[in-house]
Amino acid sequence: MAQAQDESINVLGEPLENCGTDPVTGFFRDGCCNTSPEDFGSHTVCTVVTDEFLAFSRSRGNDLSTPRPEFGFPGLRPGDGWCLCAARWREALEAGCAPRVRLKATHRAALDICDLADLKRHSVDLN
């Protein structure tokens, strides 16, 4: 049975923008941080990954930089857009190494776990 996506609205109340297609990100691998009830990790925060964050994630047992060709995953490099689990972003924030956030591509479901003020402080797309 196909997974039903939640409405594609960002944390600003606008239509959700694309987060990344090289590599393709998102729970649905559609380039967007869409979510659904099946997305237990809430892959809803669109981030611009950094070396510091990749090292942090690796230290927590989630190596995102090593290519995994068997899964079609080339590995992330600094600057890549990636739909991150909201709880992992908050954990990185608390550790002082949260990656920057694209609010326009961050799904509003992230607000169930992350504070909007924290996301805004790390935003790359607010003027």
Side-chain angles (χ1 to χ4, degrees), residues 20-113:
T21 56
D22 185 21
V24 177
T25 190
F27 179 73
F28 294 99
R29 290 300 187 258
D30 60 0
C32 294
C33 296
N34 285 305
T35 191
S36 74
E38 291 84 10
D39 178 15
F40 298 114
S42 187
H43 295 77
T44 51
V45 180
C46 180
T47 63
V48 180
V49 298
T50 62
D51 277 326
E52 182 181 32
F53 171 75
L54 291 170
F56 171 79
S57 187
R58 187 171 37 258
S59 77
R60 297 299 195 264
N62 188 16
D63 182 356
L64 296 171
S65 55
T66 300
R68 299 291 306 266
E70 66 273 27
F71 299 116
F73 180 67
L76 297 179
R77 296 179 310 275
D80 286 342
W82 193 250
C83 294
L84 191 59
C85 293
R88 178 63 53 141
W89 186 85
R90 190 178 70 195
E91 181 185 13
L93 175 70
E94 292 166 358
C97 58
R100 300 295 303 259
V101 175
R102 290 191 49 236
L103 295 175
K104 293 178 180 182
T106 296
H107 196 282
R108 68 179 173 186
L111 298 176
D112 292 342
I113 298 168

Side-chain angles (χ1 to χ4, degrees), residues 1-4 38:
M1 182 173 193
Q3 299 168 341
E38 291 84 10

